[in-house]
């Protein structure tokens, strides 16, 4: 089938493991950070640079590529990888994130705590609802031109098959931590019903698209901060089989309480099979990465490294700082001493300070290369620490240094 997963190392008496995901376009050594290229591009960075900074795979957004340029065009080009000149493995999400982000108006930001209002009609201040959910699917109002579009599990599968990614995700409803318990229960059931439909359509399209490389399908687990819902959703998706097809892996999805991140992940992992990979959606902060790996997550994606880079925020082993502040105007040193990225090898903080102040596009390119390299390298180091048994020592040393200072 040209897709499989091998566990190669385990950390004694924990859920943490290292392994290899085999795909038609190459292997992904896990744990791994998957760089986000929402619209078939990592913003401001050419694919060759993404490869040079050590990324093993990229993840694109099915909703955005459906709207522009159209999944049929990507298919005609030879699939996502060929279209964007990326030779390695690719992932696509299902459009489910937009159920929340467009529906509640929060764009790319998910709250990671439960403080504040509890409401099933929550909406960001000054925003209007652009997505409406029903049991059959979701109706979107395009953020580009206001036209209405319909996503169902079958449509999401069709789009993702045309995009041709090695790993894709079942269509799900992403709720917020502000939704009521009653709504979370209904949403878990809805997401499960959609998962059944996704598997059936995935099998039909796999058989119909003869000659295309096999695309793995991951089921997505919801349930917010509730242990019973998370465990039930995990058990149900792990046991699900439709027309002889089961999920190839699992997405650990939904809004997650930061303070309980590891525990929530452990609930799901305990109910999932050991021989299938687990992808944690939307996580990249160092403490979250360590917590997730310890509890058994294998891969991660997040827009944060590139997004904050475009606002001059720079990650280093000594914490995060803003390179556009006055104190860096005459800092003729790399963004991070000892960093092996292209930016740090060739440019100084003073130069990036100038680029940001001058509003030059190159500022985003150079800062993004560094932040993505920082995150990819961190997860690579975590993987090596699992293999040599130094995970806890590395975690304590790294996090102690990272959060000890701020820039």
């Amino acid at each position: 089938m040209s897709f499989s997963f091998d566990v190669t190392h385990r950390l004694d008496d924990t859920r943490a493991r290292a392994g290899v995901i085999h795909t038609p376009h190459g292997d992904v050594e896990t744990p791994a950070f998957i760089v986000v290229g929402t619209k078939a591009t990592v913003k401001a960075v050419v694919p060759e640079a993404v490869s040079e900074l050590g990324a093993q795979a990229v993840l694109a957004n099915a909703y955005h590529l459906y709207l522009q340029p159209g999944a049929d065009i990507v298919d005609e080009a030879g699939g996502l990888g060929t279209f964007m000149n990326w030779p390695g493995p690719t992932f696509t999400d299902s459009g489910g994130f937009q159920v929340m982000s467009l529906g509640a108006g929060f764009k790319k930001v998910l709250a990671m705590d439960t403080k504040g209002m509890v409401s099933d009609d929550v909406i960001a201040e000054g925003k209007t609802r652009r997505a409406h959910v029903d049991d059959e699917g979701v109706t979107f109002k395009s953020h580009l031109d206001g036209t209405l579009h319909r996503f169902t599990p079958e449509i999401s599968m069709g789009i993702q098959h045309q995009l041709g990614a090695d790993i894709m995700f079942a269509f799900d409803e992403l709720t917020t931590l502000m939704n009521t318990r009653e709504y979370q229960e209904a949403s878990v059931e809805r997401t499960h019903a959609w998962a059944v439909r996704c598997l059936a359509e995935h099998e039909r399209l796999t058989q119909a698209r003869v000659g295309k490389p096999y695309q793995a399908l991951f089921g997505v687990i919801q349930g917010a901060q509730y242990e019973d819902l998370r465990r039930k959703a995990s058990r149900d998706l792990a046991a699900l089989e439709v027309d002889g097809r089961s999920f190839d892996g699992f997405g650990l999805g939904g809004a997650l309480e930061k303070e309980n991140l590891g525990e929530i992940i452990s609930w799901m992992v305990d109910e999932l099979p050991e021989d299938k990979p687990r992808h944690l959606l939307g996580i990249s902060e160092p403490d979250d990465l360590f917590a997730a790996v310890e509890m058994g997550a294998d891969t991660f994606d997040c827009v944060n490294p590139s997004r904050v880079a475009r606002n001059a925020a720079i990650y280093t082993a000594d914490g995060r700082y803003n390179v556009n502040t006055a104190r860096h105007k005459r800092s003729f040193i790399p963004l991070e001493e000892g960093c092996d990225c292209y930016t740090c090898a060739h440019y100084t903080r003073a130069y990036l300070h100038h680029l940001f102040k001058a509003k030059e596009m190159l500022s985003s390119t150079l800062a993004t290369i560094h932040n993505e390299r920082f995150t990819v390298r961190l997860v690579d180091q975590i993987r090596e620490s699992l293999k040599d048994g130094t995970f806890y020592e590395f975690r304590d040393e790294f996090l102690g240094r990272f959060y000890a200072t701020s820039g």
Side-chain angles (χ1 to χ4, degrees):
M1 200 168 62
S2 70
F3 178 88
S4 61
F5 174 62
D6 299 320
V7 176
T8 59
H9 297 80
R10 296 184 186 277
L11 192 63
D12 291 344
D13 300 321
T14 75
R15 301 171 180 85
R17 76 248 187 107
V20 183
I21 299 173
H22 305 282
T23 83
H25 292 93
D27 293 344
V28 177
E29 293 189 62
T30 67
F33 180 72
I34 311 304
V35 175
V36 176
T38 299
K39 301 178 182 179
T41 175
V42 179
K43 289 186 186 300
V45 180
V46 297
E48 291 82 357
V50 177
S51 178
E52 288 171 6
L53 62 84
Q56 299 183 69
V58 296
L59 180 145
N61 183 288
Y63 168 81
H64 285 288
L65 293 177
Y66 157 79
L67 288 178
Q68 191 179 62
D72 59 324
I73 291 177
V74 177
D75 191 19
E76 188 176 338
L80 176 62
T82 302
F83 185 55
M84 65 179 292
N85 193 33
W86 173 259
T90 52
F91 292 54
T92 49
D93 59 16
S94 69
F97 184 87
Q98 279 65 39
V99 174
M100 188 288 299
S101 64
L102 295 177
F106 288 109
K107 297 185 74 174
K108 300 179 179 67
V109 179
L110 268 178
M112 293 187 74
D113 64 67
T114 54
K115 297 185 177 105
M117 66 182 293
V118 176
S119 171
D120 291 330
D121 197 35
V122 63
I123 189 75
E125 184 177 355
K127 299 293 183 179
T128 57
R129 190 172 296 280
R130 289 178 173 266
H132 296 271
V133 182
D134 58 64
D135 285 342
E136 291 301 309
V138 183
T139 300
F140 292 97
K141 188 175 184 180
S142 169
H143 67 287
L144 296 177
D145 58 14
T147 55
L148 291 178
H149 301 268
R150 182 71 171 164
F151 263 40
T152 65
E154 292 77 13
I155 290 173
S156 177
M157 286 295 94
I159 292 167
Q160 291 189 80
H161 268 267
Q162 285 187 306
L163 295 177
D166 296 293
I167 296 173
M168 54 189 178
F169 291 88
F171 192 56
D172 64 310
E173 181 187 10
L174 173 58
T175 58
T176 76
L177 291 176
M178 298 178 190
N179 287 110
T180 62
R181 163 73 190 216
E182 182 180 12
Y183 191 90
Q184 301 286 6
E185 291 174 358
S187 180
V188 166
E189 292 302 317
R190 183 179 296 118
T191 290
H192 182 82
W194 289 358
V196 174
R197 293 164 59 186
C198 283
L199 271 176
E201 185 67 2
H202 174 46
E203 175 64 13
R204 188 188 72 79
L205 290 171
T206 298
Q207 298 301 325
R209 290 168 62 84
V210 179
K212 298 285 186 179
Y214 179 72
Q215 296 174 255
L217 178 60
F218 284 23
V220 180
I221 301 162
Q222 298 291 344
Q225 66 270 36
Y226 300 103
E227 180 175 2
D228 60 330
L229 295 184
R230 286 284 183 179
R231 287 187 179 276
K232 182 181 187 304
S234 301
R235 285 194 302 270
D236 290 350
L237 290 183
L240 186 59
E241 185 174 305
V242 178
D243 298 329
R245 177 78 64 189
S246 58
F247 286 117
D248 300 292
F250 300 92
L252 313 181
L256 299 166
E257 289 179 300
K258 186 178 178 69
E259 63 183 16
N260 297 319
L261 179 76
E263 185 177 16
I264 294 171
I265 293 169
S266 75
W267 300 337
M268 295 182 279
V269 166
D270 284 348
E271 307 295 339
L272 294 175
E274 278 287 308
D275 61 348
K276 293 186 178 182
R278 310 146 185 162
H279 180 88
L280 181 59
L281 293 139
I283 294 295
S284 69
E285 285 298 308
D287 56 337
D288 297 332
L289 291 170
F290 279 101
V293 168
E294 182 180 4
M295 293 304 167
D298 300 305
T299 52
F300 319 86
D301 75 271
C302 192
V303 299
N304 191 65
S306 58
R307 187 204 303 144
V308 302
R310 298 193 297 276
N311 292 307
I314 305 299
Y315 281 92
T316 77
D318 292 306
R320 202 172 102 171
Y321 69 89
N322 291 327
V323 74
N324 60 351
T325 56
R327 70 188 180 96
H328 297 296
K329 189 172 184 178
R330 288 181 168 83
S331 295
F332 301 108
I333 59 175
L335 295 182
E336 180 180 18
E337 295 285 2
C339 176
D340 59 0
C341 81
Y342 173 85
T343 300
C344 288
H346 296 90
Y347 301 98
T348 65
R349 297 184 184 190
Y351 183 61
L352 266 79
H353 177 277
H354 158 66
L355 292 178
F356 277 107
K357 289 299 184 182
K359 294 181 169 52
E360 287 290 338
M361 290 185 289
L362 185 58
S363 61
S364 293
T365 299
L366 295 179
T368 298
I369 287 172
H370 172 78
N371 279 359
E372 295 286 9
R373 175 58 184 153
F374 171 88
T375 309
V376 166
R377 182 176 60 233
L378 172 57
V379 180
D380 288 349
Q381 291 170 330
I382 293 173
R383 182 174 66 247
E384 292 308 308
S385 75
L386 290 176
K387 292 180 179 180
D388 62 24
T390 60
F391 173 81
Y392 290 110
E393 294 87 343
F394 177 60
R395 179 197 65 183
D396 294 346
E397 177 185 357
F398 185 92
L399 295 181
R401 180 179 174 184
F402 184 83
Y403 290 107
T405 59
S406 59

